[in-house]
Amino acid sequence: MKIAVLGAGAMGGLFSSYLSRNNEVTVIDVNPALVEKVHNEGLVVEEPDGSSAVYHPNAVLSTEGMAPVDLIIVFVKAMFSESALNNNKGIIGPNTYLMTLQNGSGHEDMLGKFVPQENIIIGTTQHNASVAGLGVTKHGGSGMTHMGCVVGDVTRLQKFADAFTACGLDADVSDGVQKMIWNKLFTNVSASALTGALQVPLGYISSNEYAWKLCCTLIREAVDAAAGLGMDFDYDEKVAEVKAVCDNSPNGLTSIYADLRDGRRSEVDTISGSVVRAGQKGGVPTPSHEFLVGLIHAMEGRSKA
């Protein structure tokens, strides 16, 4: 299978490395130093057990002149997805599928600008990774990758799940993947978003009475917004899950915390913003999420400390 991976960061590096075991993989990035390193020396993946391996996907800054591929996996930050796809439109053919495993939900709306809805794969993965150096990915943990579709019969995606599984990325297809994506979303749109706005670690959210009350309000609105789209979640169950995440990682620093600390743009529009859009579609008010999205965007405009 011909596969292109947009973004050679932590997750892009991991997936392009593993998938290159049995497929023709090209990883695309805008960092010249990173592309040169991968081109000359390969991508290093450090495993949880302390072992490491070097993989050699093709690495490029530009796909100009490259033929269309079977699958494009989008692993850039959500706010850069559209520009990344625009810059690489030449590898999108009539039979190309676009896959998103990015944080948040609603990515299919943007992907639909480039391919028909039936060629969009939405999904979620339990793998996690971090950047350990230039061209070095630290694989933090493994799990299933679930794939689903926006329209049509999900069984047509089985060939992609099989290709992933054959490379050590266990995958399946599911009609319920949208609910899986939302299930993963609750912590991000409540505790994680608040760690960014308050510039505190996760443990602060569950231990401070005011922060925790805000967190529960955000969870309540998210549960109601999901219900408006036909997905039922138990509020008390979600509260318990979010609290466990905070309590178990009291010093944990989220990506949105780091983005705002370092003066970068965040992915709030596809995280908290997805709850706002869901509320609008289902006629459910989400005032706390609307306020939080605006607050985080306002913080993005600050000078770096």
Side-chain angles (χ1 to χ4, degrees):
M1 191 174 287
K2 292 184 178 180
I3 301 173
V5 177
L6 290 180
M11 294 295 285
L14 176 67
F15 274 71
S16 59
S17 293
Y18 271 49
L19 290 171
S20 68
R21 289 169 169 170
N22 293 327
N23 303 280
E24 185 181 324
V25 176
T26 299
V27 61
I28 305 145
D29 203 274
V30 296
N31 183 342
L34 177 56
V35 168
E36 183 180 4
K37 180 84 177 287
V38 176
H39 179 75
N40 293 332
E41 302 174 30
L43 268 168
V44 178
V45 177
E46 298 177 346
E47 298 293 351
D49 64 4
S51 65
S52 64
V54 181
Y55 300 89
H56 294 276
N58 187 30
V60 298
L61 289 167
S62 168
T63 55
E64 188 174 350
M66 188 173 149
V69 298
D70 301 307
L71 174 67
I72 299 173
I73 310 173
V74 183
F75 267 129
V76 296
K77 281 198 168 185
M79 58 275 201
F80 303 129
S81 297
E82 186 166 357
S83 61
L85 287 166
N86 263 321
N87 291 337
N88 295 282
K89 282 194 291 191
I91 60 172
I92 302 174
N95 299 313
T96 300
Y97 279 75
L98 296 185
M99 173 186 285
T100 172
L101 297 173
Q102 296 156 294
N103 286 330
S105 71
H107 302 287
E108 60 270 21
D109 295 338
M110 186 280 299
L111 297 182
K113 298 178 181 180
F114 296 91
V115 295
Q117 290 289 302
E118 54 266 28
N119 282 31
I120 295 173
I121 304 173
I122 57 174
T124 182
T125 184
Q126 293 172 324
H127 285 273
N128 63 76
S130 58
V131 174
L134 192 67
V136 182
T137 295
K138 186 172 181 60
H139 190 187
S142 303
M144 287 295 295
T145 296
H146 303 289
M147 303 179 188
C149 53
V150 182
V151 295
D153 184 1
V154 73
T155 58
R156 73 184 189 280
L157 307 182
Q158 190 62 50
K159 62 182 179 181
F160 297 110
D162 290 343
F164 275 49
T165 300
C167 293
L169 296 166
D170 290 341
D172 63 11
V173 298
S174 171
D175 284 322
V177 76
Q178 192 71 266
K179 190 167 184 179
M180 292 179 196
I181 290 170
W182 267 79
N183 205 38
K184 191 177 177 181
L185 193 66
F186 285 101
T187 298
N188 287 337
V189 302
S190 58
S192 294
L194 282 174
T195 66
L198 298 174
Q199 286 294 282
V200 295
L202 281 166
Y204 185 89
I205 304 302
S206 57
S207 62
N208 179 276
E209 63 172 309
Y210 299 102
W212 183 241
K213 185 176 181 181
L214 291 170
C215 189
C216 290
T217 299
L218 292 167
I219 297 169
R220 174 79 268 170
E221 284 186 6
V223 167
D224 291 345
L229 297 182
M231 294 178 287
D232 292 324
F233 293 95
D234 183 88
Y235 167 74
D236 292 328
E237 185 179 290
K238 293 300 123 188
V239 166
E241 288 175 3
V242 173
K243 189 173 189 304
V245 170
C246 295
D247 290 345
N248 293 336
S249 301
N251 299 313
L253 301 177
T254 66
S255 60
I256 196 165
Y257 165 94
D259 286 339
L260 294 173
R261 177 197 64 196
D262 297 338
R264 295 189 296 263
R265 289 174 61 193
S266 73
E267 294 183 285
V268 69
D269 285 330
T270 50
I271 297 177
S272 301
S274 65
V275 178
V276 175
R277 288 189 295 277
Q280 291 168 344
K281 287 179 182 177
V284 177
T286 57
S288 299
H289 287 274
E290 290 179 31
F291 179 85
L292 191 55
V293 170
L295 176 62
I296 288 173
H297 279 314
M299 292 179 71
E300 290 169 348
R302 297 177 307 163
S303 299
K304 186 177 176 181

